[in-house]
Amino acid sequence: MSTRQARRRYYETSLLVLMLLLLQARLAQSLPPCSPDQATALLQLKRSFTVNSASATAFRSWRAGTDCCRWTGVRCDGGGSGRVTSLDLGGRGLQSGGLDAAVFSLTSLRYLNLGGNDFNASQLPATGFERLTELTHLSISPPSFAGQVPAGIGRLTNLVSLDLSTRFYVINQEDDRADIMAPSFPNWGFWKVDFVRLVANLGNLRELYLGFVYMSNGGEGWCNALVNSTPKIQVLSLPFCKISGPICQSLFSLPYLSVVDLQENDLYGPIPEFFADLSSLGVLQLSRNKLEGLFPARIFQNRKLTTVDISYNYEIYGSFPNFSPNSSLINLHLSGTKFSGQIPTSISNLTGLKELGLSANDFPTELPSSLGMLKSLNLLEVSGQGLVGSMPAWITNLTSLTELQFSNCGLSGSLPSSIGNLRNLRRLSLFKCSFSGNIPLQIFNLTQLRSLELPINNFVGTVELTSFWRLPYLSDLDLSNNKLSVVDGLVNDSVVRSPKVAELSLASCNISKFPNALKHQDELHVIDLSNNQMHGAIPRWAWETWKELFFLDLSNNKFTSIGHDPLLPCLYTRYINLSYNMFEGPIPIPKENSDSELDYSNNRFSSMPFDLIPYLAGILSLKASRNNISGEIPSTFCTVKSLQILDLSYNILSSIPSCLMENSSTIKVLNLKANQLDGELPHNIKEDCAFEALDFSYNRFEGQLPTSLVACKNLVVLDVGNNQIGGSFPCWMHLLPKLQVLVLKSNKFYGRLGPTLTKDDDCELQHLRILDLASNNFSGILPDEWFRKLKAMMSVSSNEILVMKDGDMYGTYNHITYLFTTTVTYKGLDLTFTKILKTFVLIDVSNNRFHGSIPETIATLSVLSGLNMSHNALTGPIPNQLASLHQLESLDLSSNKLSGEIPQKLASLDFLSTLNLSNNMLEGRIPESPHFLTLPNSSFTRNAGLCGPPLSKECSNKSTSDAMAHLSEEKSVDVMLFLFVGLGFGVGFAIAVVVSWKPCIGK
């Protein structure tokens, strides 16, 4: 094209643009101005927001006397009424104490977006939304509201799209966990939402986004409610909603489904095959549930499917089909499943594949080279110990890769220098493998890297931290848990121009000095410098520079000083871990607290500054166990309405404010173990009690247990051991429906065990798994029927979570829970269980004054791990039925008055590693078995009538022949029964022969 033609084309284009602008202006002038009542409502809404730079920008055009239809974010209808139909305030960063009701005066709204602003965790107005009857699109995502979704939203029958979700992304995805990050307001959101009621009238809904909206009725009903109420649904996005149950078959009757996102829930059962027949389905996202069974391979053949993600459903299995060249697959994630067999070479037909995640546990030891032909691949994630050898050479052919991850695998050896050829890599993550050698310098050729994660390998050498500043976009660096030694490197003016790192993890990196290389890293959100050898004071510049920290872990070092005033200038910190150091002085407190978790345990802190306690107003958790804190527990803790976990155990505290128990409706875990607390426990506990675990053990409490504890319906653990508390056995605890651990040992309880009245059902502790009554003054017989009612000791459900912990508590950075603890005597030792497994089942009634026989019904407690009845006055024989306790690991019946022989079948308890029958009146031969021969003499001493190994006392001929005859008889019976049944005769015939055999033995 000539210069003249180009110039002419330019003028023609410019004239056309000018004409279009004039036309647009003319049309705008022809539209009627907005109605005055609409402008008034908008201006009132504007005034409800805090005046700051964000609101000044957002509302610059919102001026009285001007046409509100031309204000930023406002649109009016074209019908001449001048009424507002669209209001978009999304993502403006506005701040307000709550949503002003003025918005409900805009009754012609069809589109409303309030997400991405700060409403200070207030609740949405309970009424008002029902007035917006014409609303078709409602977005409050990400939300900064909390509490319930107003019922009025469920009455908006014209809604086509509803978005109440919290946006999130996954980082550091491992086989057994994933760190979930939410860009803003992660701890706010809607909870206990009645899903069935919410969607009941939303018959026109096409798109539903409820990520992180917790359902109060998330069982099987959610699925059928969706089918019955929203027949036109196309996009179904319910991640992190606490929904459970199987995926209902009726979901197939929703023919327009194009997106199904149900990741990170508690769904179980099989993945239905009907997903193969939903003709519009493009995205199937079911990762991190509890789904199981065979994955229907036919689903892969659904031509519309672009995304299949079933990763981290550990019981899903299947195999790859042959992939058609016509497949539309773009994302395929199978990590954390039991897929097996060969990866077909036809996988190279997936030319449009962008993301691939594989679990190599059940695949061949090498990945096929055909994967190297997937030139469009942007993301490759491979996990599993089945993958061995060195990094595949064909990896470097995948030049489009932006993310590469090998995790929990058997790959070893040095990283090849050719890794530097992947110039488009933004994330390189190699964790929990066996890579070794030095980190190759060619990594610094990857100038697009945002994230470099190399934790839990065997890399060696000395690494200069400032050398990574050569990666200009680096945002996430993780070198933790290798054999590296990290030093500062050259620190000069170039550090000022270093990349702005947001997440830094250098745990177990042999760091001896606080890194000065971080002095100018003022955008750090996550810092993990745990398990190093840093000492002295934390530099003051660290606190002044890192004011926007989310997460700080300096645990397991040798710090002695905070290096700052107790009031820390942390504005956004959600997690601070200073545990296992040598800090002294008052406990530090962040200046701002919003859903924060603080761990100061195992230090030398000596006090809690009373004047700083009010700064804990937004704290979730405070752990300060094993310090030197003395004096009173501040009563101001009672005013911290957000507090869920308070652990002040192993200190020198002298008194507890009664309000801490009586008026707290939020604390779930209160651990005051091993202090010097005295007096009586508070008795007036309110009905809104939230306690899940109470540990007052090893103190000086007196009086009786407060019966008002029955208000704590969520109580799982109660430990008051080693105090001076008295009274009869607390049968009233049968009113605590979740109680699993009851420790009353070493107190002054007295009387009989079980109910004192004629009723049998007023003392049923059906959910108990640990019962420790040792060293009290209990007396009487052990009630036979009472033990039969300990139902939880009879079985452990395969679907149960096996660790006792508090209810879910989402931290900003991690999903953090508090593991329940208790101290009991087990296998002769006082053991503190820092993680109570539900498979650990214990009864300890030792050192009391019980008499009578051992109840045979104890044998029905089939999952019992430990049984201790020592130091009582029990009489009679050891019940043969105890031999049916196949999970028994510890049995102590010592120091009683038991008589008779040791049941022969006790020798068949293979898990029984600790047995003490000493100091009784037992007699006869100790059962002969290889297992019993491993037990020490002390298991049987001080029983005058016992003989045989492992005791040195030999049995007399008579007792020997009797015992051998008895043993021979049993063996003969077993052999004959086995013989006849094995030859095909009926059991009845075998028994008949045995009966006729017995007299012959004695002759």
Side-chain angles (χ1 to χ4, degrees), residues 452-464:
L452 176 60
E453 301 158 4
L454 306 175
I456 318 179
N457 284 286
N458 295 311
F459 291 114
V460 298
T462 299
V463 176
E464 293 184 350

mmCIF file of all heavy atoms in Angstrom, residues 452-464:
data_model
loop_
_atom_site.group_PDB
_atom_site.id
_atom_site.type_symbol
_atom_site.label_atom_id
_atom_site.label_comp_id
_atom_site.label_asym_id
_atom_site.label_seq_id
_atom_site.Cartn_x
_atom_site.Cartn_y
_atom_site.Cartn_z
ATOM 1 N N LEU A 452 8.966 -20.937 42.546
ATOM 2 C CA LEU A 452 9.986 -21.981 42.554
ATOM 3 C C LEU A 452 9.883 -22.712 43.885
ATOM 4 O O LEU A 452 10.190 -22.160 44.939
ATOM 5 C CB LEU A 452 11.377 -21.376 42.381
ATOM 6 C CG LEU A 452 12.552 -22.361 42.456
ATOM 7 C CD1 LEU A 452 12.439 -23.425 41.369
ATOM 8 C CD2 LEU A 452 13.881 -21.620 42.342
ATOM 9 N N GLU A 453 9.422 -23.958 43.835
ATOM 10 C CA GLU A 453 9.160 -24.749 45.044
ATOM 11 C C GLU A 453 9.950 -26.049 44.957
ATOM 12 O O GLU A 453 9.671 -26.896 44.102
ATOM 13 C CB GLU A 453 7.667 -25.052 45.168
ATOM 14 C CG GLU A 453 6.798 -23.795 45.230
ATOM 15 C CD GLU A 453 5.362 -24.063 44.816
ATOM 16 O OE1 GLU A 453 5.024 -25.231 44.555
ATOM 17 O OE2 GLU A 453 4.584 -23.099 44.738
ATOM 18 N N LEU A 454 10.932 -26.219 45.847
ATOM 19 C CA LEU A 454 11.797 -27.400 45.825
ATOM 20 C C LEU A 454 11.863 -28.083 47.194
ATOM 21 O O LEU A 454 12.894 -28.661 47.540
ATOM 22 C CB LEU A 454 13.216 -26.993 45.394
ATOM 23 C CG LEU A 454 13.344 -26.236 44.075
ATOM 24 C CD1 LEU A 454 14.786 -25.806 43.844
ATOM 25 C CD2 LEU A 454 12.857 -27.082 42.912
ATOM 26 N N PRO A 455 10.813 -28.075 48.005
ATOM 27 C CA PRO A 455 10.921 -28.587 49.374
ATOM 28 C C PRO A 455 10.956 -30.104 49.456
ATOM 29 O O PRO A 455 10.507 -30.810 48.548
ATOM 30 C CB PRO A 455 9.659 -28.035 50.047
ATOM 31 C CG PRO A 455 8.660 -27.980 48.948
ATOM 32 C CD PRO A 455 9.447 -27.579 47.730
ATOM 33 N N ILE A 456 11.488 -30.590 50.556
ATOM 34 C CA ILE A 456 11.488 -32.013 50.930
ATOM 35 C C ILE A 456 12.126 -32.849 49.829
ATOM 36 O O ILE A 456 11.528 -33.748 49.246
ATOM 37 C CB ILE A 456 10.062 -32.513 51.274
ATOM 38 C CG1 ILE A 456 9.307 -31.491 52.107
ATOM 39 C CG2 ILE A 456 10.135 -33.841 52.034
ATOM 40 C CD1 ILE A 456 7.901 -31.873 52.474
ATOM 41 N N ASN A 457 13.377 -32.520 49.520
ATOM 42 C CA ASN A 457 14.220 -33.308 48.631
ATOM 43 C C ASN A 457 15.566 -33.491 49.304
ATOM 44 O O ASN A 457 15.669 -33.368 50.534
ATOM 45 C CB ASN A 457 14.357 -32.605 47.277
ATOM 46 C CG ASN A 457 13.119 -32.749 46.401
ATOM 47 O OD1 ASN A 457 12.859 -33.805 45.847
ATOM 48 N ND2 ASN A 457 12.335 -31.678 46.302
ATOM 49 N N ASN A 458 16.578 -33.785 48.527
ATOM 50 C CA ASN A 458 17.918 -33.981 49.074
ATOM 51 C C ASN A 458 18.930 -33.048 48.419
ATOM 52 O O ASN A 458 20.100 -33.405 48.260
ATOM 53 C CB ASN A 458 18.352 -35.438 48.888
ATOM 54 C CG ASN A 458 17.502 -36.406 49.684
ATOM 55 O OD1 ASN A 458 17.265 -36.209 50.871
ATOM 56 N ND2 ASN A 458 17.007 -37.447 49.034
ATOM 57 N N PHE A 459 18.497 -31.871 48.006
ATOM 58 C CA PHE A 459 19.420 -30.906 47.420
ATOM 59 C C PHE A 459 20.475 -30.510 48.454
ATOM 60 O O PHE A 459 20.179 -30.393 49.653
ATOM 61 C CB PHE A 459 18.666 -29.669 46.930
ATOM 62 C CG PHE A 459 17.796 -29.923 45.735
ATOM 63 C CD1 PHE A 459 16.415 -29.836 45.824
ATOM 64 C CD2 PHE A 459 18.354 -30.249 44.504
ATOM 65 C CE1 PHE A 459 15.604 -30.076 44.737
ATOM 66 C CE2 PHE A 459 17.548 -30.492 43.399
ATOM 67 C CZ PHE A 459 16.176 -30.406 43.508
ATOM 68 N N VAL A 460 21.689 -30.286 47.981
ATOM 69 C CA VAL A 460 22.801 -29.973 48.876
ATOM 70 C C VAL A 460 23.477 -28.681 48.422
ATOM 71 O O VAL A 460 23.198 -28.135 47.353
ATOM 72 C CB VAL A 460 23.832 -31.123 48.901
ATOM 73 C CG1 VAL A 460 23.203 -32.396 49.415
ATOM 74 C CG2 VAL A 460 24.427 -31.350 47.514
ATOM 75 N N GLY A 461 24.392 -28.214 49.266
ATOM 76 C CA GLY A 461 25.194 -27.059 48.913
ATOM 77 C C GLY A 461 24.786 -25.821 49.671
ATOM 78 O O GLY A 461 23.783 -25.796 50.398
ATOM 79 N N THR A 462 25.593 -24.799 49.520
ATOM 80 C CA THR A 462 25.309 -23.493 50.098
ATOM 81 C C THR A 462 24.661 -22.612 49.039
ATOM 82 O O THR A 462 25.166 -22.508 47.921
ATOM 83 C CB THR A 462 26.589 -22.844 50.619
ATOM 84 O OG1 THR A 462 27.154 -23.684 51.649
ATOM 85 C CG2 THR A 462 26.312 -21.458 51.192
ATOM 86 N N VAL A 463 23.538 -22.030 49.393
ATOM 87 C CA VAL A 463 22.750 -21.245 48.441
ATOM 88 C C VAL A 463 22.693 -19.810 48.934
ATOM 89 O O VAL A 463 22.384 -19.563 50.109
ATOM 90 C CB VAL A 463 21.321 -21.820 48.308
ATOM 91 C CG1 VAL A 463 20.480 -20.941 47.396
ATOM 92 C CG2 VAL A 463 21.363 -23.238 47.783
ATOM 93 N N GLU A 464 22.990 -18.878 48.032
ATOM 94 C CA GLU A 464 22.863 -17.461 48.365
ATOM 95 C C GLU A 464 21.450 -16.989 48.046
ATOM 96 O O GLU A 464 20.982 -17.109 46.909
ATOM 97 C CB GLU A 464 23.882 -16.640 47.579
ATOM 98 C CG GLU A 464 25.322 -16.919 47.982
ATOM 99 C CD GLU A 464 26.295 -16.013 47.253
ATOM 100 O OE1 GLU A 464 25.864 -15.310 46.304
ATOM 101 O OE2 GLU A 464 27.476 -16.002 47.623
#
